[in-house]
Amino acid sequence: MRRRWALFAITVASPAEAHEAFGNLGTFYQSLLHPIADPSQGLVIAATAVLLARQPPDAFRAAFLTFCLAALATLALESVTPLSEPGLRAQAIVALALALMALAGFHPGIAPMVGIAVAAGPFAA
């Protein structure tokens, strides 16, 4: 019984390390798994995916490519300059806005969808 309490005390007293659940996987896989560790980022990605899935094929192709490029550009910029994260509230607002547009059946055309994808990309990175 004492052994269990000692193990419990060691577990509670040991410091937790964020993002170390999978060990040292390298920067690519750590970034790939980050939406799992940060649910707000995953919500932005999911809301963008739902909105894009409801668009006509031409608008989807252009906006999806732009969304991926905007997210990659944000990641590249973050590796060179110290950028602050957008924050939980900002990501939640973006995810909610994208989800509401998808629910409303928003079909603005190719150019506005590309603009929305450019705006959503940094929140997903």
Side-chain angles (χ1 to χ4, degrees):
M1 185 69 169
R2 285 184 177 171
R3 193 172 191 178
R4 287 184 190 164
W5 281 107
L7 182 59
F8 176 75
I10 290 171
T11 303
V12 171
S14 63
E17 294 185 29
H19 299 88
E20 286 297 323
F22 304 105
N24 187 9
L25 298 174
T27 57
F28 175 76
Y29 291 106
Q30 290 287 49
S31 296
L32 188 65
L33 292 172
H34 198 264
I36 296 170
D38 185 5
S40 62
Q41 186 181 25
L43 286 175
V44 171
I45 293 170
T48 305
V50 171
L51 178 62
L52 291 180
R54 295 185 50 106
Q55 302 305 311
D58 291 338
F60 167 79
R61 286 185 195 105
F64 180 69
L65 177 63
T66 307
F67 177 73
C68 292
L69 291 175
L72 284 173
T74 303
L75 290 174
L77 192 60
E78 284 178 347
S79 67
V80 179
T81 61
L83 294 176
S84 62
E85 302 233 353
L88 182 62
R89 286 187 181 165
Q91 286 178 318
I93 290 169
V94 169
L96 180 63
L98 292 168
L100 289 175
M101 283 189 275
L103 285 172
F106 189 64
H107 298 287
I110 295 174
M113 277 310 300
V114 167
I116 291 169
V118 167
F123 289 95

